[in-house]
Amino acid sequence: MATEEVQVIHSWSAPRSLSTSLMYSFAQRDDMEVVDEPLYANFLTVTGLERPYRDELLSKMDSDGNKVVKEVIFGPGEKKYRYCKHMAKQRLPNLSNDLMKKGKHFILIRNPLNILQSFNKVVSPSFLELGLGDLVSIYSELCELGKAPPIIDADDLQKDPETVLRGLCQDLDIPFQTSMLKWEAGPKPIDGIWAPWWYGSVHKSTGFRKPLLSSVPFPTELYDLLEQSLPFYNMLRQHCRRLVSSLHPSLPLPRLPVPANEKLLVWVGDQLLPRENAKVSVLDSVVQGGDAAWEGLRIYKGKVFKLDEHLDRLFDSAKALAFSNVPNREEIKEAVFKTLISNGMFDNAHIRLTLTRGNKVTSGMSPAFNLYGCTLIVLAEWKPPVYDNSGGIKLVTATTRRNSPNSIDSKIHHNNLINNILAKIEGNLANADDAIMLDKDGFVSETNATNIFMVKKGHVSTPHADYCLPGITRATVMDLVIQENLILHERRISLSEFHAADEVWTTGTMGELTPVMMIDGRVIGNGEVGPITRRIQNAYKTLTAELGVPIPTHADAEG
């Protein structure tokens, strides 16, 4: 067959990542020739690194990297495709840009936890030798060239070779061939000179083998290297073609309620982190036992509404929970402002502000294990009011009762929300927007997420804050009711009174003031948003436009 220009497929990986098995897989195709690490001699020449086979390799392979790029990698061939297996660390600055600009590229990754223990058979493990930093650089460079490469994980390849290979072939725009799933055992003519040192295990294989459970502990002397390497692996893993597994079932990528929230910066501890990296430790108290306090804050036109009132309640909750080493007010405000400014959020945004008891030195319930101080989380999102404040919502009454002060005092704004979540589940199952929760005596307390008000014959009533949270929006609305010269009662209210009310609304930072149109199938009033509800809504809207703590940078810019 006459020689002709071939389509080059570049495989980039780190050592011990099943790259040789994958090379054997592609070598089984009838339309593919393969080349094993053509840039190896250039790499050893430029870096001066020692290998047991260095002299033999340099005597038999061309060490002129750019000549190899031109004549070996992109030279003419006898088949339609040429598969080039590359180690990421072998892409050195002396090489022609054609290497990255031409051909099709993909990246093979593997969890360094599964690499490190077997790595030092020939070479001592190091961050440089692992090459994960180089893989990230290659990925970034290809993205800048507009050629974002597909990424596959070696662990997925072992679990389900056909699915992963079919997906990779689709991404590379080449047909899949079933011959890729099997090969003959033993050395291959395509093997590099280094094969006797590295390929012993793969020479025994005839296909991709299921991953084996390691029978030896992870060496503690490699722990630091694992810590260095994992962030690079995880960064690439985020862009990986995912595989179905029992632990991670195949689900469609969920659509965010507000797509702009995909690119968030979140404050965790003492720094801002991208959304996907914004995590707390498994030893944090919020994970160990929901041991944390939280507040919701809303942003209106460059100001944080009722910021100091929310911080007062946060500090009260932290004191009641006996937190130690709590950040001070100015530190929390600074974190709030930095988060908002970094995200460009100056209006129509909401903050979930969380203060945990912090990390523990060992798992367990006792706060005596909390020796690191509190963890502060500032999660700001673009978030309009979460309910329909024009047309109203529907409620049902939950069988789950609100906690009594005998068990958990509602004055502590804590993260133990399972009581509310169980009620919310009941609401969801009834196709309602939220669920009303009663106290132990059967009187209305609040909904699973908001405080609640009712109007009867012009009088406004709301339940005592004995079992429910004394919300800051609730207190604000109570003040507005009085300012509007309306009569306000704070009292025990039965469920039937709410059923027969002329108007009902709920209050909360996340939802503001929300009219209720139906409770347990009963239409409230005449089924329309009532005049007093509208009146208080307008008063609240005016107040949010006037009050609030200015976000410093925004205020300075406006000035």
Side-chain angles (χ1 to χ4, degrees):
M1 180 178 179
T3 59
E4 58 184 38
E5 184 176 351
V6 298
Q7 297 182 36
V8 177
I9 296 172
H10 303 276
S11 164
W12 296 98
S13 67
R16 317 302 291 168
S17 297
L18 273 69
S19 56
T20 305
S21 296
L22 194 58
M23 179 180 72
Y24 288 176
S25 169
F26 273 84
Q28 306 314 302
R29 297 175 60 101
D30 57 18
D31 56 1
M32 188 81 58
E33 62 181 72
V34 300
V35 185
D36 193 5
E37 298 185 41
L39 298 169
Y40 207 156
N42 175 78
F43 172 73
L44 291 183
T45 301
V46 173
T47 62
L49 291 173
E50 289 295 330
R51 292 291 187 269
Y53 41 81
R54 175 186 169 92
D55 292 341
E56 181 186 4
L57 188 152
L58 292 179
S59 69
K60 295 182 178 179
M61 289 185 70
D62 198 327
S63 61
D64 183 339
N66 287 317
K67 182 180 177 183
V68 170
V69 170
K70 182 178 180 181
E71 297 180 3
V72 178
I73 296 176
F74 293 117
E78 297 183 351
K79 293 191 176 181
K80 184 174 183 179
Y81 303 106
R82 176 178 295 133
Y83 180 96
C84 292
K85 171 192 161 192
H86 301 297
M87 292 293 106
K89 61 190 176 186
Q90 295 174 9
R91 192 211 52 157
L92 297 178
N94 71 312
L95 296 173
S96 165
N97 289 335
D98 284 349
L99 180 64
M100 306 305 290
K101 290 181 178 179
K102 295 171 63 176
K104 300 175 180 180
H105 300 257
F106 77 91
I107 291 175
L108 171 67
I109 60 173
R110 193 179 188 191
N111 192 322
L113 188 67
N114 299 326
I115 295 174
L116 285 169
Q117 295 188 66
S118 64
F119 194 90
N120 61 357
K121 292 179 179 178
V122 179
V123 179
S124 296
S126 68
F127 183 77
L128 176 63
E129 290 291 348
L130 280 177
L132 279 164
D134 296 305
L135 278 178
V136 171
S137 296
I138 288 169
Y139 176 79
S140 300
E141 184 174 337
L142 289 170
C143 287
E144 289 177 5
L145 291 171
K147 302 175 66 173
I151 300 176
I152 61 172
D153 194 303
D155 296 331
D156 294 339
L157 186 59
Q158 286 183 296
K159 292 173 185 174
D160 191 345
E162 182 169 350
T163 297
V164 172
L165 288 173
R166 283 185 180 275
L168 177 59
C169 288
Q170 179 182 342
D171 290 337
L172 295 172
D173 195 26
I174 63 175
F176 170 74
Q177 293 185 7
T178 55
S179 59
M180 298 174 72
L181 299 173
K182 296 289 182 182
W183 53 83
E184 295 292 328
K188 311 288 188 293
I190 58 175
D191 289 344
I193 292 165
W194 48 91
W197 283 268
W198 290 106
Y199 294 178
S201 177
V202 71
H203 283 165
K204 298 175 183 177
S205 70
T206 59
F208 295 100
R209 293 179 292 190
K210 296 288 184 182
L212 300 175
L213 186 65
S214 176
S215 59
V216 295
F218 185 82
T220 55
E221 63 269 19
L222 297 178
Y223 189 87
D224 290 346
L225 183 54
L226 179 65
E227 275 195 316
Q228 294 171 31
S229 306
L230 270 175
F232 293 87
Y233 166 77
N234 289 331
M235 178 267 172
L236 294 168
R237 178 70 177 165
Q238 289 177 20
H239 303 282
C240 187
R241 174 183 274 275
R242 293 305 178 97
L243 183 69
V244 179
S245 75
S246 58
L247 289 177
H248 301 284
S250 180
L251 296 173
L253 193 65
R255 299 181 64 178
L256 301 182
V258 180
N261 287 328
E262 182 183 2
K263 306 291 185 183
L264 292 180
L265 292 170
V266 184
W267 186 278
V268 181
D270 60 359
Q271 63 179 322
L272 282 166
L273 297 167
R275 174 179 176 137
E276 291 301 318
N277 299 109
K279 299 175 175 66
V280 296
S281 168
V282 294
L283 291 170
D284 194 287
S285 289
V286 74
V287 178
Q288 292 280 315
D291 190 3
W294 69 281
E295 292 292 325
L297 303 167
R298 187 163 280 286
I299 316 306
Y300 298 95
K301 300 187 184 303
K303 292 179 288 188
V304 185
F305 188 62
K306 298 282 183 176
L307 174 58
D308 285 304
E309 290 86 343
H310 280 284
L311 292 183
D312 287 342
R313 188 169 66 183
L314 183 68
F315 288 124
D316 287 346
S317 295
K319 189 168 186 178
L321 291 167
F323 281 8
S324 299
N325 299 309
V326 177
N328 63 42
R329 184 179 294 261
E330 291 309 311
E331 289 171 334
I332 295 178
K333 282 187 175 181
E334 182 179 359
V336 167
F337 293 144
K338 282 185 176 180
T339 303
L340 291 171
I341 293 166
S342 298
N343 285 291
M345 293 180 179
F346 303 112
D347 192 24
N348 206 30
H350 178 272
I351 288 176
R352 175 82 171 210
L353 182 68
T354 304
L355 187 68
T356 85
R357 197 182 296 272
N359 284 357
K360 293 177 176 291
V361 293
T362 184
S363 62
M365 184 186 301
S366 176
F369 297 147
N370 291 85
L371 302 178
Y372 298 99
C374 293
T375 301
L376 178 66
I377 303 168
V378 186
L379 172 58
E381 296 179 280
W382 299 107
K383 184 170 287 190
V386 295
Y387 302 112
D388 183 353
N389 290 348
S390 298
I393 62 173
K394 178 175 69 173
L395 303 177
V396 294
T397 302
T399 60
T400 304
R401 296 299 175 99
R402 192 65 178 93
N403 288 321
S404 162
N406 287 328
S407 52
I408 302 179
D409 193 342
S410 61
K411 305 301 186 293
I412 303 174
H413 201 199
H414 52 76
N415 278 55
N416 293 128
L417 297 176
I418 191 64
N419 181 242
N420 305 66
I421 292 169
L422 289 171
K424 178 63 175 175
I425 291 171
E426 293 188 63
N428 288 347
L429 292 173
N431 293 317
D433 297 281
D434 268 335
I436 288 177
M437 301 183 73
L438 309 179
D439 65 24
K440 69 179 181 64
D441 295 321
F443 292 98
V444 171
S445 178
E446 59 179 353
T447 79
N448 56 272
T450 57
N451 295 122
I452 191 165
F453 290 74
M454 60 164 279
V455 179
K456 188 68 173 180
K457 296 182 178 179
H459 290 202
V460 180
S461 298
T462 192
H464 287 295
D466 293 333
Y467 292 80
C468 71
L469 175 75
I472 290 171
T473 307
R474 171 184 181 270
T476 302
V477 168
M478 291 171 74
D479 290 341
L480 290 175
V481 167
I482 294 171
Q483 289 174 24
E484 292 293 315
N485 297 314
L486 296 166
I487 297 173
L488 174 69
H489 300 286
E490 188 179 10
R491 62 182 179 83
R492 294 182 111 182
I493 309 174
S494 68
L495 182 59
S496 62
E497 289 183 88
F498 272 95
H499 288 161
D502 298 327
E503 303 176 42
V504 176
W505 71 76
T506 63
T507 63
T509 301
M510 194 176 289
E512 300 177 336
L513 271 75
T514 306
V516 176
M517 298 290 96
M518 181 178 288
I519 299 175
D520 298 327
R522 282 84 160 178
V523 174
I524 303 302
N526 62 4
E528 297 179 356
V529 180
I532 294 179
T533 303
R534 289 288 188 215
R535 188 169 156 189
I536 302 302
Q537 278 185 322
N538 291 334
Y540 187 81
K541 184 176 182 180
T542 300
L543 190 67
T544 58
E546 296 172 349
L547 298 182
V549 177
I551 303 168
T553 297
H554 185 65
D556 295 342
E558 289 295 315

